[in-house]
Amino acid sequence: MSILNKMSKTTQAAGKRVGRGYGSGKGGHNSGRGTKGAGSRKSSSMPLWFEGGQLPLVKRLPMIRGKSRFNTLGKIAEVNLGDLAKVKAEQITLDSLKLAGLVEKNVKNAKVVATGKLDKAITVSGLRISAGAKKAIEAAGGKVA
């Protein structure tokens, strides 16, 4: 088998230019769009949320007032084990991370990730913790509450 068969494609065939008349290679009279209907017109694209005339999901759900509707979950900050070792408090919560400057003040959730080394016993509570980070904290003599 030659090396030519194993090579990947470097070019891509151009798509048919629908709706551009006889010279496009896609027919002429209806220009490849079919006869009548929304798809045959010039601006035939539908919005992503269009459900064929059914009441859209956007309108079926209740309205939530105010600017807070965009950040219901809030930011989830990532904290690694090396950062936890720098915190002077033994009981580590979201507030202690904010005081230490590891997490921004507007963050509502934080997750401890198993990156870096932890060499002191700490107690972590009220934070999300990955499985690897939980093992590392317990191996260092700490607790996860």
Side-chain angles (χ1 to χ4, degrees):
M1 195 180 242
S2 72
I3 197 167
L4 292 175
N5 293 341
K6 295 178 184 175
M7 292 176 71
S8 59
K9 276 177 104 175
T10 56
T11 59
Q12 192 173 6
K16 295 281 188 177
R17 297 192 66 213
V18 174
R20 293 295 182 268
Y22 286 105
S24 66
K26 188 64 181 165
H29 176 62
N30 294 323
S31 297
R33 288 180 181 265
T35 329
K36 295 187 185 176
S40 68
R41 311 293 181 209
K42 173 176 66 172
S43 342
S44 66
S45 61
M46 300 280 174
L48 279 173
W49 58 85
F50 186 69
E51 298 183 26
Q54 173 178 307
L55 191 68
L57 182 69
V58 173
K59 292 190 175 183
R60 278 180 272 160
L61 296 176
M63 283 180 67
I64 303 170
R65 298 177 66 185
K67 292 181 182 175
S68 65
R69 67 186 182 273
F70 299 118
N71 56 4
T72 52
L73 271 180
K75 289 183 180 177
I76 298 175
E78 228 178 64
V79 182
N80 57 31
L81 292 174
D83 293 338
L84 290 183
K86 296 174 187 173
V87 178
K88 293 178 181 172
E90 289 180 14
Q91 178 80 17
I92 294 182
T93 59
L94 187 62
D95 294 330
S96 64
L97 291 176
K98 286 179 182 178
L99 286 172
L102 295 174
V103 170
E104 294 177 16
K105 298 201 188 256
N106 62 346
V107 168
K108 295 179 182 175
N109 292 314
K111 182 169 184 174
V112 180
V113 184
T115 312
K117 292 185 179 179
L118 183 68
D119 44 358
K120 67 176 187 175
I122 55 172
T123 306
V124 180
S125 62
L127 299 175
R128 298 174 183 195
I129 299 176
S130 69
K134 186 174 181 179
K135 285 181 186 176
I137 290 169
E138 289 171 350
K143 285 191 282 183
V144 176

